[in-house]
Amino acid sequence: MTVKSDIEIAREAKSKPISEVAAKLGIPADAIIPYGTTKAKLSFDFINALNTRPNGKLILVTAISPTPAGEGKTTTTVGLTDGLNRIGQKAMCALREPSLGPSFGMKGGAAGGGYAQVVPMEDINLHFTGDFHAITSAHNLLSALIDNHIYWGNKLGIDSRRVEWRRVLDMNDRALRSILNSLGGVSNGYPRQDGFDITVASEVMAILCLASDLKDLQNRLGNIIVAYTRDKAPIRARDLNADGAMTVLLKDALMPNMVQTLENNPAFLHGGPFANIAHGCNSVLATKSALKVADYVVTEAGFGADLGAEKFFDIKCRKAGLSPDACVIVATVRALKMHGGVAKDDLKTENADAVAKGCANLKRHIENVGKFGVPAVVAINRFITDTDAEIQEVMKAAEEMGTRAFLCTHWADGGKGTEALAAHVVEVANSGKAAFKPLYPDSMPLRDKVRTIATEIYRAADISCDGTIEKRFKELEEMGFGHLPVCMAKTQYSFSTDPTKRGAPEGHIVPIRELRLSAGAEFVVVITGEIMTMPGLPRVPAADTIRLNEEGQIEGLF
Amino acid sequence: MTVKSDIEIAREAKSKPISEVAAKLGIPADAIIPYGTTKAKLSFDFINALNTRPNGKLILVTAISPTPAGEGKTTTTVGLTDGLNRIGQKAMCALREPSLGPSFGMKGGAAGGGYAQVVPMEDINLHFTGDFHAITSAHNLLSALIDNHIYWGNKLGIDSRRVEWRRVLDMNDRALRSILNSLGGVSNGYPRQDGFDITVASEVMAILCLASDLKDLQNRLGNIIVAYTRDKAPIRARDLNADGAMTVLLKDALMPNMVQTLENNPAFLHGGPFANIAHGCNSVLATKSALKVADYVVTEAGFGADLGAEKFFDIKCRKAGLSPDACVIVATVRALKMHGGVAKDDLKTENADAVAKGCANLKRHIENVGKFGVPAVVAINRFITDTDAEIQEVMKAAEEMGTRAFLCTHWADGGKGTEALAAHVVEVANSGKAAFKPLYPDSMPLRDKVRTIATEIYRAADISCDGTIEKRFKELEEMGFGHLPVCMAKTQYSFSTDPTKRGAPEGHIVPIRELRLSAGAEFVVVITGEIMTMPGLPRVPAADTIRLNEEGQIEGLF
């Protein structure tokens, strides 16, 4: 049997005009702005008129700690959306937009897989509706305005050693990580150290995803701290009059994008911030709009539940006033085997004991989600090599935690493969069991917030901070940022800060290496390890083989 | 009387759905890909099916040598298009897309003015349909692949001192003109000198505008010479396998964009290469498609006729097999006065003598256009301060050169203000007088091509080249590039290389400073002065006041 590739399946998709897909949700044709026939943006006029409607149910899809075996979180989000529609519910999903740059490094798109995908896949993985390009422009306009201000006399007294705002490109380009700019003489400015991050790492991306409307967007952009003076007074984007022009550049990008699943169900794809130095969720505007037009909204968060779900709850839901009704934790037998100590090359051999052992990871995530008052359900994303005995171990683990696991075959079967899960999710979401609460109150000091996450979620014994970090915590409190949530940048592969510690390690120490203030996005980034904000290309990049074939179709991208 | 601003007029425009505008030309709804309701791209399927149709008439709009007083070339192109439609012709225009970056430096859009504009003006001056972002991505992917190749072992033996391919951003950012990249240690690569140009200066832009189809686009991209080895062998984009992926990034950008004039007549806006280091015309695909769907196509070229028209004829028309039927030279009384020696502050005072004297500039351009076998007509773009005596001088000058000048009031009156010009243009275009021929044959040696342009068009006594330049001419001939046209980068303000020499200077020497090979665009750039490929922002940039107002409209951009 030949298994079809994602792109082959996507090309066979019978997409409907996006206006028809929107009509399913009662969205009229004049409420959407078409980008081609299968992509559209939702107009602000329509969004603004939604306020008085009741909200649908919000379902978060998260996962066990990621392993190289793969979990299929996006695939499950799409599959569950199709399953919900199949059992007669008005459901849609709200996902992140993928980044362009990485597509030219490693092969593989980010729009689901198998028969659980959103389309048009090629567009989604390339320029899509231009949101990320708009973010690149807005970010780099601010960068240019900083150096321009210094060039023309530096009235604000920016300390050029303390410019914290770098530049961005949506490209994997290691040569730009660290640069010296403004070389070449008097007319090019004052040389200083600088560098580029990839666009998705921009604070502008995080802001776009947290903004409630254009006004809030502009206010947050204005709040960005770009540099400090010699006596360490913050310089904000507003001080450079950059917030208005940046908002103008982002006005279309702030409108949620609508596409469809392979089964012609509606999907919003909007925003895609990093899941380490940012909160890793699609936009608040997309999620909120989805809740107004659909009865069930399935959304996802980055990485495993220790990072993605925690940030979804503690940052996005807290700030946007969202209240999730259920949480689906995606697991695969293969990944659980790896958490149980099996090497990647041995995954094909049946090993129910390893699965049982690896379920320690799953169980802790289930328990953690419970700490936010959200009922968890487990989705087993089936692989061909999974055996019944292995699957039973996952079912058992879920039951031991007071919940249920469902075998899902959406990758092979589309929405048909998640019907049982969908039915149960509907039941849970309507059970009244959910009583969402963030893990810590706004009023808790920043250092305690970090410690709470470390001990409650990561099950660490404690955090460790050197003098500089302790001082920085105090500084941030004194500057008036003590009420912000914290955004943890930790390895996604382990509950600890050691990526090789799979399963459910405990009692470890979480060393805090650095604190970064995102004053516009309104969180404090807490860095516990090496964070790469500008990826490089591999020795043989995907770009090598990406091309148009004789039929004008894209080869090599997926 | 209050004069309305361009943006006020544009906002009052009653735009029609772009599908209706397309239908005027017999373009069916399924041949256009909508970007919102008033912008669209023309599909390749439709374009490819046009081949067998006859061509309409091609009319070039060019101008006298630019002065700070302004000429209004785009405004006249749009006005003439509306005028042609008003007198019952099926006419459209083909224009360049404006660059995003400069909008945040100086106030002022680039979509015509007054009652002769194309709309939606805001979109056109911001992200539009994303073409320039796609060019930025494609260009920078190639940049990243160069440094990535060196990083992973440099199998091709690229001499990092001889990397000629820089990076680009669509932003005025002087701090990026000259940088050191790949700093920060082993994992970031090998430090080398680098820099950014503005996107419109990218060779990818020139290539996009000259490519006949996707295949030709990929071939030209592959031909780009990005660097040389230590023994000076060229490294092409193809050697880095970059051409396929770059083509994929540009596949949508290659489709012409359709918008409309204020009078709801169709306009293509597509591509916008620099007019100094590139050829400064909209895309070949847009012009060719326009000729298939309209009976009259009005297009424009950058700067004055000595640069823009010469390149339009010798590069674009030669390479694309276009044969223009008429040429409109735009002049204003104010600008001619400046050519006649009047200072900018004194332009409001009537001075028919100065106009007469300044007409030497106009006359030479008329004569020059004739050298290409294309009949010229003069459009006087009327300003309120122009007096009858002054206008008469221009009329007289045109008659002395065997042609006619028409007073045009399209800025104030729209198409109604160009009816007389339009009628005459129709007559000339159908007169059979045009017998287009480029100024020099392909077979002429490069150095002679440059000398021919300098003496025939600029009326220089000669060119001067030092030993390095003479050697470079020989090298380029030996490398097999002798058959390419040359692309002159000279000040637009004078026939000479001294921008202060207005009017019609002659007998000067044109010093050749540098030769740059654009092997993908297929021309040799000949630099005769300082060329700025990355603008900076002024002391008080437009970005300072650009913002959304309470109605969500953009303020400060125009």
Side-chain angles (χ1 to χ4, degrees):
Chain A
M1 190 188 87
T2 329
V3 176
K4 281 185 188 157
S5 71
D6 289 356
I7 182 69
E8 283 168 333
I9 294 168
R11 275 186 199 147
E12 287 169 6
K14 300 228 183 324
S15 291
K16 288 193 179 160
I18 197 66
S19 54
E20 253 181 66
V21 177
K24 272 187 161 184
L25 299 173
I27 300 175
D30 64 359
I32 61 169
I33 298 156
Y35 283 66
T37 52
T38 55
K39 297 166 290 184
K41 281 187 170 279
L42 202 60
S43 80
F44 286 130
D45 283 346
F46 180 75
I47 292 171
N48 295 338
L50 293 172
N51 271 335
T52 53
R53 296 196 192 180
N55 282 329
K57 301 291 181 187
L58 180 58
I59 299 136
L60 174 69
V61 174
T62 181
I64 58 170
S65 302
T67 70
E71 292 71 41
K73 208 165 44 196
T74 305
T75 306
T76 304
T77 306
V78 175
L80 175 56
T81 304
D82 285 337
L84 285 162
N85 276 282
R86 280 184 70 93
I87 63 168
Q89 303 299 339
K90 198 163 91 173
M92 73 177 300
C93 55
L95 299 170
R96 289 170 290 173
E97 297 175 62
S99 180
L100 176 72
S103 303
F104 296 92
M106 306 287 280
K107 230 170 134 162
Y115 286 89
Q117 297 185 49
V118 284
V119 285
M121 185 187 188
E122 290 99 330
D123 291 14
I124 289 168
N125 281 284
L126 290 171
H127 307 293
F128 198 34
T129 58
D131 293 346
F132 289 15
H133 291 316
I135 291 168
T136 303
S137 295
H139 182 116
N140 290 333
L141 174 62
L142 180 52
S143 310
L145 288 170
I146 295 167
D147 284 300
N148 192 57
H149 183 86
I150 297 172
Y151 177 85
W152 286 107
N154 200 4
K155 219 159 147 187
L156 292 168
I158 295 169
D159 182 345
S160 67
R161 303 165 307 174
R162 291 195 173 97
V163 176
E164 306 215 326
W165 193 254
R166 291 157 51 92
R167 286 170 164 86
V168 297
L169 268 189
D170 195 1
M171 192 56 65
N172 286 19
D173 193 348
R174 72 169 68 73
L176 293 177
R177 283 175 189 157
S178 181
I179 68 168
L180 261 182
N181 75 20
S182 305
L183 301 176
V186 171
S187 61
N188 294 352
Y190 296 86
R192 65 174 184 85
Q193 282 190 45
D194 193 9
F196 281 72
D197 296 321
I198 191 161
T199 299
V200 286
S202 167
E203 188 178 343
V204 176
M205 173 68 86
I207 289 172
L208 184 96
C209 289
L210 289 166
S212 54
D213 55 27
L214 281 166
K215 208 163 239 179
D216 184 41
L217 177 72
Q218 175 159 354
N219 188 46
R220 286 170 176 268
L221 292 170
N223 285 342
I224 295 172
I225 294 176
V226 296
Y228 293 87
T229 61
R230 273 188 73 97
D231 40 5
K232 297 193 187 166
I235 305 288
R236 293 172 185 270
R238 188 176 295 111
D239 300 324
L240 294 158
N241 296 322
D243 50 325
M246 291 172 79
T247 304
V248 165
L249 280 167
L250 293 168
K251 72 179 176 55
D252 293 343
L254 189 62
M255 296 186 278
N257 307 297
M258 181 179 272
V259 292
Q260 63 194 290
T261 69
L262 290 178
E263 299 184 8
N264 309 121
N265 294 311
F268 284 156
L269 255 74
H270 196 218
F274 257 34
N276 47 39
I277 59 155
H279 61 294
C281 309
N282 68 266
S283 79
V284 163
L285 258 177
T287 305
K288 284 193 152 181
S289 303
L291 287 168
K292 297 296 185 187
V293 293
D295 295 334
Y296 294 89
V297 176
V298 189
T299 191
E300 62 165 343
F303 298 151
D306 55 332
L307 284 164
E310 188 271 313
K311 293 181 192 194
F312 175 79
F313 293 139
D314 276 330
I315 299 177
K316 181 172 171 175
C317 291
R318 176 200 305 262
K319 289 295 176 176
L322 296 169
S323 191
D325 299 283
C327 177
V328 174
I329 302 177
V330 181
T332 62
V333 163
R334 290 156 53 89
L336 289 170
K337 253 190 237 181
M338 289 194 81
H339 279 298
V342 175
K344 202 184 170 190
D345 291 342
D346 300 331
L347 289 177
K348 281 180 187 159
T349 316
E350 179 176 53
N351 192 338
D353 288 350
V355 173
K357 201 174 152 215
C359 278
N361 185 277
L362 171 64
K363 285 173 166 181
R364 184 178 291 173
H365 285 299
I366 296 172
E367 195 179 41
N368 281 349
V369 167
K371 292 185 181 189
F372 294 89
V374 180
V377 180
V378 177
I380 307 170
N381 182 12
R382 172 148 215 175
F383 273 67
I384 291 168
T385 50
D386 301 350
T387 69
D388 288 346
E390 290 173 329
I391 289 163
Q392 278 314 312
E393 289 297 339
V394 190
M395 301 279 192
K396 208 173 76 186
E399 272 159 39
E400 282 168 14
M401 297 304 294
T403 182
R404 290 180 61 189
F406 291 84
L407 195 59
C408 299
T409 61
H410 45 287
W411 189 88
D413 302 326
K416 202 171 155 231
T418 63
E419 283 184 13
L421 173 69
H424 186 70
V425 163
V426 167
E427 200 184 305
V428 170
N430 290 291
S431 67
K433 272 186 200 157
F436 171 68
K437 55 177 196 306
L439 190 69
Y440 52 80
D442 288 352
S443 58
M444 186 185 276
L446 290 169
R447 193 188 191 288
D448 294 350
K449 286 172 182 163
V450 178
R451 195 174 178 282
T452 301
I453 294 169
T455 54
E456 293 283 315
I457 303 295
Y458 308 158
R459 313 302 170 99
D462 204 349
I463 61 172
S464 73
C465 310
D466 65 17
T468 318
I469 298 290
E470 298 288 5
K471 200 181 132 204
R472 184 79 178 132
F473 269 126
K474 266 184 212 144
E475 258 176 25
L476 290 169
E477 299 277 353
E478 283 161 14
M479 285 169 78
F481 296 108
H483 66 289
L484 295 185
V486 293
C487 178
M488 302 297 293
K490 177 183 72 70
T491 175
Q492 66 265 41
Y493 298 113
S494 173
F495 280 105
S496 76
T497 55
D498 176 354
T500 65
K501 294 231 160 70
R502 297 214 170 93
E506 58 188 342
H508 46 276
I509 300 293
V510 176
I512 310 304
R513 310 272 184 98
E514 189 190 339
L515 302 179
R516 290 187 200 164
L517 173 61
S518 291
E522 300 184 352
F523 50 66
V524 173
V525 182
V526 180
I527 292 172
T528 69
E530 288 294 305
I531 297 295
M532 172 55 68
T533 49
M534 174 52 98
L537 291 168
R539 184 184 288 270
V540 182
D544 254 29
T545 47
I546 293 174
R547 60 182 183 86
L548 292 178
N549 65 21
E550 289 298 318
E551 283 83 54
Q553 297 167 325
I554 300 169
E555 300 284 350
L557 193 56
F558 310 100
Chain B
M1 189 188 90
T2 329
V3 176
K4 281 183 189 161
S5 71
D6 289 354
I7 183 69
E8 283 169 332
I9 294 168
R11 276 188 198 144
E12 286 169 7
K14 300 227 183 324
S15 291
K16 289 194 178 159
I18 196 67
S19 53
E20 251 180 68
V21 177
K24 272 187 162 184
L25 299 173
I27 301 174
D30 64 0
I32 61 168
I33 299 156
Y35 282 66
T37 52
T38 54
K39 297 167 291 184
K41 280 187 170 279
L42 202 60
S43 81
F44 286 130
D45 284 347
F46 180 75
I47 292 171
N48 295 338
L50 294 172
N51 271 336
T52 54
R53 296 196 193 180
N55 282 328
K57 301 291 181 189
L58 180 58
I59 299 137
L60 174 70
V61 174
T62 182
I64 57 169
S65 303
T67 70
E71 292 71 41
K73 208 165 42 195
T74 304
T75 305
T76 304
T77 306
V78 174
L80 176 56
T81 304
D82 285 337
L84 284 163
N85 276 283
R86 281 183 69 94
I87 63 167
Q89 303 298 340
K90 198 163 91 174
M92 72 177 299
C93 56
L95 299 169
R96 289 170 291 172
E97 298 175 62
S99 180
L100 177 72
S103 303
F104 296 92
M106 305 287 279
K107 233 170 132 161
Y115 286 89
Q117 296 186 47
V118 284
V119 284
M121 185 187 185
E122 290 99 330
D123 292 15
I124 289 169
N125 282 286
L126 290 171
H127 306 293
F128 198 35
T129 59
D131 293 346
F132 289 15
H133 291 316
I135 290 169
T136 304
S137 294
H139 183 116
N140 289 332
L141 174 62
L142 180 52
S143 310
L145 289 170
I146 295 167
D147 284 301
N148 193 55
H149 183 85
I150 297 172
Y151 177 85
W152 286 107
N154 200 4
K155 221 160 144 186
L156 292 169
I158 295 168
D159 183 345
S160 67
R161 301 165 307 174
R162 291 194 173 97
V163 176
E164 306 216 327
W165 193 253
R166 291 156 52 93
R167 287 170 163 85
V168 296
L169 268 189
D170 195 1
M171 191 58 64
N172 285 21
D173 192 348
R174 72 169 67 73
L176 293 178
R177 283 175 189 158
S178 180
I179 68 167
L180 261 182
N181 75 21
S182 305
L183 301 175
V186 172
S187 61
N188 294 353
Y190 296 87
R192 66 175 183 85
Q193 282 190 46
D194 194 9
F196 282 70
D197 296 321
I198 191 161
T199 298
V200 284
S202 168
E203 188 179 342
V204 176
M205 174 67 87
I207 289 173
L208 185 98
C209 289
L210 289 167
S212 53
D213 55 27
L214 281 165
K215 208 163 239 177
D216 184 41
L217 176 72
Q218 175 159 354
N219 188 47
R220 286 169 176 270
L221 292 170
N223 286 342
I224 295 171
I225 294 176
V226 296
Y228 292 87
T229 62
R230 274 190 72 99
D231 39 7
K232 297 191 185 167
I235 305 287
R236 292 172 186 271
R238 188 176 294 111
D239 301 324
L240 294 159
N241 296 320
D243 50 324
M246 290 172 79
T247 304
V248 165
L249 280 166
L250 293 168
K251 73 179 174 54
D252 294 343
L254 189 61
M255 296 186 279
N257 307 296
M258 182 179 272
V259 292
Q260 64 194 289
T261 68
L262 290 177
E263 298 184 7
N264 309 122
N265 294 312
F268 284 155
L269 255 73
H270 196 218
F274 257 34
N276 47 37
I277 60 155
H279 61 295
C281 309
N282 70 264
S283 79
V284 163
L285 259 177
T287 305
K288 284 194 152 184
S289 304
L291 286 168
K292 297 296 184 186
V293 294
D295 296 333
Y296 295 88
V297 175
V298 190
T299 190
E300 63 166 344
F303 299 149
D306 55 332
L307 285 164
E310 188 270 314
K311 293 181 191 193
F312 175 79
F313 294 138
D314 276 331
I315 299 176
K316 182 172 173 177
C317 291
R318 176 200 304 264
K319 289 294 177 176
L322 297 169
S323 191
D325 299 284
C327 177
V328 174
I329 301 176
V330 181
T332 61
V333 164
R334 290 155 53 88
L336 288 170
K337 254 190 238 182
M338 289 194 81
H339 280 298
V342 175
K344 202 183 171 191
D345 291 342
D346 301 330
L347 290 177
K348 281 179 189 160
T349 317
E350 180 176 54
N351 192 337
D353 287 349
V355 173
K357 198 174 155 215
C359 278
N361 185 276
L362 171 64
K363 285 175 168 179
R364 185 179 289 173
H365 286 299
I366 296 172
E367 193 178 43
N368 282 348
V369 166
K371 293 188 180 187
F372 295 90
V374 180
V377 179
V378 177
I380 307 169
N381 183 14
R382 171 147 216 175
F383 273 67
I384 291 169
T385 50
D386 301 350
T387 69
D388 288 346
E390 290 173 330
I391 289 164
Q392 279 313 313
E393 289 297 339
V394 190
M395 301 278 190
K396 206 173 78 184
E399 273 158 39
E400 282 167 15
M401 297 304 294
T403 183
R404 290 181 60 190
F406 292 83
L407 194 59
C408 300
T409 60
H410 44 287
W411 189 87
D413 302 327
K416 202 170 154 234
T418 64
E419 283 183 16
L421 173 69
H424 186 69
V425 162
V426 166
E427 200 185 305
V428 170
N430 290 292
S431 67
K433 274 187 201 156
F436 171 69
K437 55 176 196 304
L439 190 69
Y440 52 80
D442 289 351
S443 58
M444 186 184 277
L446 291 169
R447 193 188 191 286
D448 295 349
K449 286 173 182 163
V450 178
R451 196 175 178 280
T452 301
I453 295 170
T455 54
E456 293 283 314
I457 304 295
Y458 308 157
R459 316 299 171 99
D462 204 349
I463 60 172
S464 72
C465 311
D466 65 18
T468 318
I469 298 290
E470 297 287 6
K471 200 180 132 203
R472 184 79 178 131
F473 269 127
K474 267 184 212 143
E475 257 175 26
L476 289 169
E477 299 277 353
E478 282 161 14
M479 286 169 78
F481 295 108
H483 66 290
L484 295 184
V486 293
C487 180
M488 301 299 291
K490 177 183 72 70
T491 176
Q492 66 266 40
Y493 299 112
S494 173
F495 280 105
S496 75
T497 54
D498 176 354
T500 64
K501 294 231 161 69
R502 297 216 170 93
E506 59 188 341
H508 46 276
I509 300 292
V510 176
I512 310 304
R513 309 272 185 99
E514 190 191 339
L515 302 178
R516 289 187 201 164
L517 174 61
S518 291
E522 300 184 352
F523 50 66
V524 173
V525 182
V526 179
I527 293 172
T528 68
E530 288 294 303
I531 297 297
M532 173 55 68
T533 50
M534 174 52 99
L537 292 168
R539 184 185 287 271
V540 182
D544 254 30
T545 47
I546 293 175
R547 61 182 184 85
L548 293 178
N549 64 21
E550 290 298 318
E551 284 83 53
Q553 295 167 326
I554 299 169
E555 299 284 349
L557 193 55
F558 310 100

